[in-house]
Amino acid sequence: MIDVSIIYVNYKTAALVLDSLRSVRERTRGVTYEVIVVDNDSGDDSERLLREAFPEVRYRQAGANLGFGRANNLGVEMARGEFVFFLNPDTMLQNDAITALVDFLRAHPEVGACGGNLTDGEGRPTFSLNRNDFTVAQEFLSIFYLRPPLWKAPRSHFYNFTGKPLRVRSIIGADLMVRKSVLDRIGAFDPAFFMNGEDIELCHRIIRSGYAIYSVPDARITHLEGRAPYVKMSRLLLLYEGNYMLFYKLYSLAAARRLCRVIRMKCRLRYWLFLGLGNKRKQEYWREKGEVNERAWLNFEEKIKCL
C-alpha cells in the first residue's frame, strides 16, 4: 500500500507545481507516495509540462474551475494512500516534511489530521494553523488589533513557536495531511465552498468525529504567498465569501450576518483612522475592503439560495 497520496490543485500554476514536486522528490526519503494533480480547466500547457517532467504523476482534468475543495475531492477519489496530503502549488518542502507528518500520525492514532510550520519566501513564520475557532468575537477584537488570550503557548496563535507538537483547532489547507480512513468516513471538503474556509470546516468535522488535530513543527515548508502585506481584492472577495459560508455551516445564517456587520464596522473604523492619520494608501485600501465586503455578502446570499 502507498503511504501518502499528495494532491495538488492546479489552475495555471504549472511552474509552481513543478518546483514543489522537485522539492518533494529531493526531500522525501522515508515514505512511499503518489502524486495526483487535478487541473481546474487551466486551458494552457500545464498537463503537457507536468507529464513531461514527472510522467508518474496521475493527472485529472476537472473540466471547469471547481475551486479548491471540490477539485481536491476529485483527487481524493483517486487516492490510494493511507494518508492524503493536500499540498498547495506555491509550497516548497524545506526538509522531509512528509515523513515527519506520517510518522506523527502513525505514532498517534488519536490524531486525525496534522500539518507543519509554514514560512514565507524569506524564511519568516507565516499563517499555518488556528488555535481558536473563528468567531464573531475574534473578528471584533481584531478591530483593535487584539487577539483572544491563550494560556498555553501564547505566542502560537497562527504558527507553532513551541518546537513541539501542539494541539490546534485547524491546519490551513496549504499543507494538510489527513488519514484516508477519516475522509472515507466523514467526507472530504464541503462542496458548498469555492475557496477559503473549507479547510476549517473539514477540521471542525474531524474534531467532531472524535479525532484531534496537531501542528508538527518538525515538518517545515515554505509557502510562497504566505506573507503578502495586502490581499488582492479579487482574493479578498473569495475570502469573505468563504468566511460567510463557514459561519453559515458551523453556526447559523444569523452568525454570518453578525460577522458581516462586524467586518463592515472594522472597515469603516480603519478608514476613518487612516484618514485622520493622513495615510491615503491605507485609507483607500480599507475603503476598497468595505466595498468588497458588501459584494461578498450579496454573493453569499445568492449562493445559499441554491443550497
Side-chain angles (χ1 to χ4, degrees):
M1 183 178 183
I2 297 169
D3 293 321
V4 186
S5 297
I6 305 168
I7 302 178
Y8 291 95
V9 173
N10 174 60
Y11 181 67
K12 303 180 187 294
T13 55
L16 290 173
V17 176
L18 285 170
D19 286 342
S20 184
L21 278 171
R22 291 185 186 105
S23 75
V24 169
R25 177 183 283 177
E26 291 169 3
R27 304 289 188 182
T28 307
R29 293 288 181 267
V31 295
T32 60
Y33 63 88
E34 65 175 352
V35 176
I36 299 167
V37 176
V38 180
D39 192 292
N40 263 342
D41 198 26
S42 294
D44 57 14
D45 285 340
S46 292
E47 183 171 0
R48 179 185 62 80
L49 293 170
L50 286 162
R51 287 192 184 279
E52 287 179 356
F54 294 91
E56 71 275 16
V57 166
R58 304 173 68 200
Y59 206 95
R60 179 167 181 174
Q61 290 287 353
N65 187 356
L66 302 181
F68 180 81
R70 290 173 63 197
N72 268 306
N73 289 351
L74 294 180
V76 173
E77 292 175 5
M78 301 169 62
R80 300 172 297 189
E82 180 183 358
F83 307 101
V84 174
F85 190 34
F86 302 107
L87 192 61
N88 271 19
D90 59 345
T91 56
M92 301 277 289
L93 303 192
Q94 299 174 23
N95 63 355
D96 193 353
I98 295 175
T99 299
L101 297 177
V102 168
D103 287 348
F104 184 82
L105 287 174
R106 284 185 172 153
H108 299 85
E110 75 283 3
V111 178
C114 63
N117 263 348
L118 302 177
T119 53
D120 67 7
E122 297 179 5
R124 296 172 296 188
T126 192
F127 194 87
S128 306
L129 55 92
N130 284 294
R131 293 284 301 285
N132 292 302
D133 287 327
F134 186 22
T135 63
V136 174
Q138 181 178 331
E139 186 66 28
F140 181 79
L141 286 174
S142 75
I143 296 175
F144 309 101
Y145 298 97
L146 298 174
R147 294 174 179 171
L150 291 173
W151 309 117
K152 180 181 178 183
R155 289 185 64 215
S156 298
H157 274 269
F158 305 114
Y159 181 91
N160 188 349
F161 286 101
T162 69
K164 300 178 292 186
L166 183 66
R167 190 165 184 167
V168 299
R169 295 298 294 177
S170 63
I171 297 290
I172 75 164
D175 73 318
L176 176 62
M177 184 176 288
V178 188
R179 296 180 188 276
K180 179 65 160 52
S181 59
V182 171
L183 296 175
D184 290 341
R185 183 173 136 206
I186 69 170
F189 293 109
D190 188 321
F193 294 82
F194 182 79
M195 185 180 295
N196 295 306
E198 62 279 287
D199 47 359
I200 298 175
E201 193 277 336
L202 174 58
C203 288
H204 182 83
R205 278 188 285 122
I206 291 171
I207 291 172
R208 264 193 343 200
S209 70
Y211 288 92
I213 296 177
Y214 268 78
S215 162
V216 183
D218 286 345
R220 301 190 302 275
I221 300 170
T222 298
H223 190 199
L224 297 175
E225 290 191 3
R227 287 280 301 218
Y230 282 89
V231 180
K232 293 180 181 178
M233 293 302 155
S234 58
R235 293 287 298 274
L236 185 66
L237 181 69
L238 295 175
L239 175 64
Y240 282 156
E241 287 180 21
N243 285 344
Y244 295 139
M245 186 63 71
L246 178 67
F247 270 61
Y248 176 68
K249 290 284 184 174
L250 297 191
Y251 308 117
S252 65
L253 177 58
R257 189 174 287 114
R258 285 194 294 272
L259 177 66
C260 179
R261 290 169 180 162
V262 169
I263 293 176
R264 183 182 294 139
M265 179 171 59
K266 178 179 181 178
C267 291
R268 289 174 179 172
L269 288 175
R270 294 275 177 90
Y271 173 85
W272 287 108
L273 170 65
F274 291 114
L275 175 66
L277 294 174
N279 190 325
K280 292 184 178 180
R281 183 173 68 93
K282 290 187 177 181
Q283 176 190 339
E284 178 64 16
Y285 177 71
W286 284 98
R287 183 191 66 77
E288 289 186 22
K289 286 189 78 168
E291 293 176 355
V292 169
N293 180 53
E294 300 305 321
R295 292 202 303 273
W297 178 256
L298 293 175
N299 291 350
F300 162 72
E301 287 187 312
E302 288 299 313
K303 285 183 178 180
I304 62 173
K305 291 177 183 178
C306 303
L307 297 180

Short mmCIF file of all heavy atoms in Angstrom, two decimals, residues 22 60 66 74 95 107 134 154-155 165 171-172 180 186 193 195 201 204 243 249 255 261 270 274 277 292 295 297:
data_model
loop_
_atom_site.label_atom_id
_atom_site.label_comp_id
_atom_site.label_asym_id
_atom_site.label_seq_id
_atom_site.Cartn_x
_atom_site.Cartn_y
_atom_site.Cartn_z
N ARG A 22 9.58 19.05 -7.41
CA ARG A 22 11.03 18.82 -7.31
C ARG A 22 11.46 18.79 -5.85
O ARG A 22 12.32 17.98 -5.46
CB ARG A 22 11.78 19.90 -8.07
CG ARG A 22 11.60 19.82 -9.60
CD ARG A 22 12.46 20.83 -10.34
NE ARG A 22 12.16 20.82 -11.76
CZ ARG A 22 11.45 21.75 -12.40
NH1 ARG A 22 10.98 22.80 -11.72
NH2 ARG A 22 11.21 21.66 -13.69
N ARG A 60 -5.65 14.62 -13.60
CA ARG A 60 -7.08 14.59 -13.87
C ARG A 60 -7.59 15.98 -14.24
O ARG A 60 -7.32 16.95 -13.52
CB ARG A 60 -7.84 14.07 -12.65
CG ARG A 60 -9.35 14.02 -12.85
CD ARG A 60 -10.03 13.23 -11.76
NE ARG A 60 -11.47 13.15 -11.97
CZ ARG A 60 -12.29 12.41 -11.22
NH1 ARG A 60 -11.79 11.68 -10.22
NH2 ARG A 60 -13.59 12.39 -11.45
N LEU A 66 -13.41 24.39 -10.50
CA LEU A 66 -14.27 23.95 -9.41
C LEU A 66 -13.92 24.61 -8.08
O LEU A 66 -14.63 24.40 -7.09
CB LEU A 66 -14.18 22.43 -9.25
CG LEU A 66 -14.54 21.59 -10.47
CD1 LEU A 66 -14.41 20.11 -10.13
CD2 LEU A 66 -15.94 21.91 -10.96
N LEU A 74 -11.93 15.50 -6.06
CA LEU A 74 -11.68 14.62 -7.20
C LEU A 74 -10.39 13.84 -7.00
O LEU A 74 -10.29 12.66 -7.36
CB LEU A 74 -11.62 15.43 -8.50
CG LEU A 74 -12.90 16.12 -8.96
CD1 LEU A 74 -12.66 16.88 -10.26
CD2 LEU A 74 -14.03 15.11 -9.13
N ASN A 95 12.41 20.26 4.33
CA ASN A 95 13.03 19.03 4.84
C ASN A 95 12.10 17.87 4.47
O ASN A 95 11.17 18.05 3.68
CB ASN A 95 13.27 19.11 6.35
CG ASN A 95 11.97 19.26 7.14
OD1 ASN A 95 10.88 19.40 6.60
ND2 ASN A 95 12.08 19.22 8.46
N ALA A 107 2.27 7.34 15.00
CA ALA A 107 2.57 7.23 16.43
C ALA A 107 1.42 7.69 17.31
O ALA A 107 1.42 7.41 18.51
CB ALA A 107 3.83 8.05 16.76
N PHE A 134 -12.85 30.30 14.71
CA PHE A 134 -13.13 31.61 14.16
C PHE A 134 -14.52 32.04 14.62
O PHE A 134 -15.51 31.38 14.33
CB PHE A 134 -13.05 31.55 12.64
CG PHE A 134 -13.17 32.88 11.94
CD1 PHE A 134 -12.89 34.06 12.61
CD2 PHE A 134 -13.55 32.93 10.61
CE1 PHE A 134 -13.00 35.28 11.97
CE2 PHE A 134 -13.66 34.15 9.96
CZ PHE A 134 -13.39 35.32 10.63
N PRO A 154 1.24 31.10 24.39
CA PRO A 154 0.51 32.30 23.96
C PRO A 154 1.02 32.93 22.67
O PRO A 154 0.28 33.68 22.03
CB PRO A 154 0.67 33.24 25.15
CG PRO A 154 1.84 32.74 25.91
CD PRO A 154 1.84 31.27 25.73
N ARG A 155 2.27 32.67 22.28
CA ARG A 155 2.78 33.23 21.02
C ARG A 155 2.23 32.51 19.80
O ARG A 155 2.23 33.05 18.70
CB ARG A 155 4.32 33.18 20.97
CG ARG A 155 5.04 34.12 21.90
CD ARG A 155 6.53 34.04 21.66
NE ARG A 155 6.91 34.47 20.33
CZ ARG A 155 7.91 33.95 19.62
NH1 ARG A 155 8.60 32.93 20.09
NH2 ARG A 155 8.19 34.42 18.42
N PRO A 165 5.06 19.26 19.11
CA PRO A 165 3.70 19.11 18.58
C PRO A 165 2.69 19.85 19.47
O PRO A 165 2.78 19.82 20.69
CB PRO A 165 3.48 17.60 18.60
CG PRO A 165 4.86 17.02 18.47
CD PRO A 165 5.74 17.95 19.26
N ILE A 171 -5.67 23.23 10.76
CA ILE A 171 -4.45 23.44 9.96
C ILE A 171 -4.91 24.02 8.63
O ILE A 171 -5.93 23.59 8.07
CB ILE A 171 -3.72 22.10 9.72
CG1 ILE A 171 -3.23 21.50 11.04
CG2 ILE A 171 -2.57 22.27 8.74
CD1 ILE A 171 -2.09 22.25 11.70
N ILE A 172 -4.18 24.97 8.09
CA ILE A 172 -4.62 25.54 6.82
C ILE A 172 -4.42 24.52 5.70
O ILE A 172 -3.58 23.63 5.77
CB ILE A 172 -3.91 26.87 6.50
CG1 ILE A 172 -2.46 26.67 6.05
CG2 ILE A 172 -3.96 27.83 7.66
CD1 ILE A 172 -1.91 27.90 5.38
N LYS A 180 -6.73 8.79 5.33
CA LYS A 180 -7.72 8.48 4.29
C LYS A 180 -8.94 7.82 4.91
O LYS A 180 -10.09 8.04 4.47
CB LYS A 180 -7.07 7.54 3.26
CG LYS A 180 -8.00 7.10 2.13
CD LYS A 180 -8.42 8.26 1.26
CE LYS A 180 -8.91 7.81 -0.11
NZ LYS A 180 -9.94 6.79 -0.08
N ILE A 186 -16.07 10.54 7.02
CA ILE A 186 -16.81 11.79 7.22
C ILE A 186 -16.92 12.63 5.95
O ILE A 186 -17.62 13.65 5.95
CB ILE A 186 -16.17 12.64 8.33
CG1 ILE A 186 -14.80 13.19 7.89
CG2 ILE A 186 -16.04 11.86 9.62
CD1 ILE A 186 -14.22 14.23 8.83
N PHE A 193 -18.29 25.30 -0.57
CA PHE A 193 -17.22 26.31 -0.59
C PHE A 193 -16.55 26.32 -1.96
O PHE A 193 -16.30 25.27 -2.55
CB PHE A 193 -16.16 26.00 0.47
CG PHE A 193 -16.64 26.10 1.88
CD1 PHE A 193 -17.33 25.05 2.49
CD2 PHE A 193 -16.40 27.25 2.62
CE1 PHE A 193 -17.76 25.13 3.80
CE2 PHE A 193 -16.83 27.34 3.95
CZ PHE A 193 -17.51 26.28 4.53
N MET A 195 -13.59 28.62 -2.38
CA MET A 195 -12.22 28.79 -1.90
C MET A 195 -12.26 29.58 -0.60
O MET A 195 -13.00 30.56 -0.50
CB MET A 195 -11.37 29.54 -2.93
CG MET A 195 -9.91 29.68 -2.58
SD MET A 195 -8.97 30.57 -3.86
CE MET A 195 -9.11 29.42 -5.23
N GLU A 201 -13.65 24.12 8.02
CA GLU A 201 -14.87 23.32 8.16
C GLU A 201 -14.54 21.83 8.22
O GLU A 201 -15.12 21.09 9.03
CB GLU A 201 -15.82 23.62 6.99
CG GLU A 201 -17.23 23.09 7.16
CD GLU A 201 -17.39 21.64 6.79
OE1 GLU A 201 -16.58 21.12 5.98
OE2 GLU A 201 -18.34 20.99 7.29
N HIS A 204 -13.10 21.01 11.56
CA HIS A 204 -14.18 21.01 12.55
C HIS A 204 -14.88 19.65 12.56
O HIS A 204 -15.15 19.09 13.63
CB HIS A 204 -15.17 22.12 12.21
CG HIS A 204 -16.30 22.26 13.18
ND1 HIS A 204 -16.20 22.96 14.35
CD2 HIS A 204 -17.56 21.77 13.14
CE1 HIS A 204 -17.34 22.91 15.01
NE2 HIS A 204 -18.19 22.19 14.29
N ASN A 243 -15.65 32.94 4.37
CA ASN A 243 -15.90 33.14 5.81
C ASN A 243 -17.40 33.12 6.12
O ASN A 243 -17.82 32.55 7.13
CB ASN A 243 -15.29 34.45 6.28
CG ASN A 243 -13.78 34.38 6.40
OD1 ASN A 243 -13.20 33.30 6.42
ND2 ASN A 243 -13.13 35.54 6.46
N LYS A 249 -22.30 27.39 7.89
CA LYS A 249 -22.21 25.95 8.07
C LYS A 249 -21.98 25.57 9.54
O LYS A 249 -22.56 24.60 10.03
CB LYS A 249 -21.06 25.38 7.22
CG LYS A 249 -21.33 25.40 5.72
CD LYS A 249 -22.28 24.29 5.33
CE LYS A 249 -22.48 24.22 3.84
NZ LYS A 249 -23.31 23.05 3.45
N ALA A 255 -25.41 34.19 12.51
CA ALA A 255 -24.00 34.39 12.88
C ALA A 255 -23.22 34.96 11.70
O ALA A 255 -22.37 35.84 11.87
CB ALA A 255 -23.38 33.07 13.34
N ARG A 261 -21.58 42.39 9.71
CA ARG A 261 -21.72 43.69 10.36
C ARG A 261 -20.44 44.11 11.06
O ARG A 261 -20.05 45.28 11.02
CB ARG A 261 -22.88 43.65 11.36
CG ARG A 261 -24.25 43.56 10.71
CD ARG A 261 -25.33 43.26 11.72
NE ARG A 261 -26.66 43.16 11.10
CZ ARG A 261 -27.71 42.59 11.67
NH1 ARG A 261 -27.60 42.08 12.90
NH2 ARG A 261 -28.86 42.54 11.04
N ARG A 270 -11.36 51.62 10.43
CA ARG A 270 -9.99 51.72 9.93
C ARG A 270 -9.87 52.83 8.88
O ARG A 270 -8.85 53.53 8.81
CB ARG A 270 -9.56 50.38 9.33
CG ARG A 270 -9.45 49.24 10.35
CD ARG A 270 -8.09 49.23 11.03
NE ARG A 270 -8.03 48.19 12.05
CZ ARG A 270 -7.62 46.93 11.82
NH1 ARG A 270 -7.25 46.58 10.60
NH2 ARG A 270 -7.58 46.06 12.80
N PHE A 274 -7.22 55.96 9.38
CA PHE A 274 -6.12 56.33 8.47
C PHE A 274 -6.40 57.65 7.75
O PHE A 274 -5.47 58.32 7.31
CB PHE A 274 -5.85 55.20 7.48
CG PHE A 274 -5.26 53.99 8.15
CD1 PHE A 274 -5.94 52.79 8.22
CD2 PHE A 274 -4.00 54.06 8.75
CE1 PHE A 274 -5.40 51.68 8.85
CE2 PHE A 274 -3.45 52.96 9.39
CZ PHE A 274 -4.16 51.77 9.44
N LEU A 277 -4.98 59.96 10.24
CA LEU A 277 -3.51 59.90 10.25
C LEU A 277 -2.90 60.41 8.96
O LEU A 277 -1.67 60.51 8.85
CB LEU A 277 -3.07 58.45 10.50
CG LEU A 277 -3.41 57.88 11.88
CD1 LEU A 277 -3.04 56.39 11.95
CD2 LEU A 277 -2.67 58.64 12.99
N VAL A 292 -15.68 45.55 -1.12
CA VAL A 292 -15.57 44.12 -1.42
C VAL A 292 -16.42 43.31 -0.46
O VAL A 292 -17.08 42.33 -0.84
CB VAL A 292 -14.09 43.67 -1.36
CG1 VAL A 292 -13.99 42.15 -1.39
CG2 VAL A 292 -13.32 44.26 -2.52
N ARG A 295 -20.02 43.31 -1.58
CA ARG A 295 -20.23 42.42 -2.74
C ARG A 295 -20.19 40.96 -2.30
O ARG A 295 -20.97 40.14 -2.78
CB ARG A 295 -19.17 42.67 -3.81
CG ARG A 295 -19.27 44.01 -4.50
CD ARG A 295 -18.60 43.99 -5.85
NE ARG A 295 -17.20 43.62 -5.80
CZ ARG A 295 -16.21 44.47 -5.58
NH1 ARG A 295 -16.48 45.75 -5.39
NH2 ARG A 295 -14.96 44.05 -5.55
N TRP A 297 -21.00 39.69 0.57
CA TRP A 297 -22.23 39.31 1.27
C TRP A 297 -23.37 39.05 0.28
O TRP A 297 -24.12 38.07 0.42
CB TRP A 297 -22.65 40.40 2.26
CG TRP A 297 -23.92 40.04 2.94
CD1 TRP A 297 -25.17 40.55 2.69
CD2 TRP A 297 -24.10 39.05 3.96
NE1 TRP A 297 -26.10 39.95 3.49
CE2 TRP A 297 -25.46 39.02 4.28
CE3 TRP A 297 -23.22 38.20 4.64
CZ2 TRP A 297 -25.99 38.16 5.25
CZ3 TRP A 297 -23.73 37.35 5.60
CH2 TRP A 297 -25.10 37.33 5.90
#
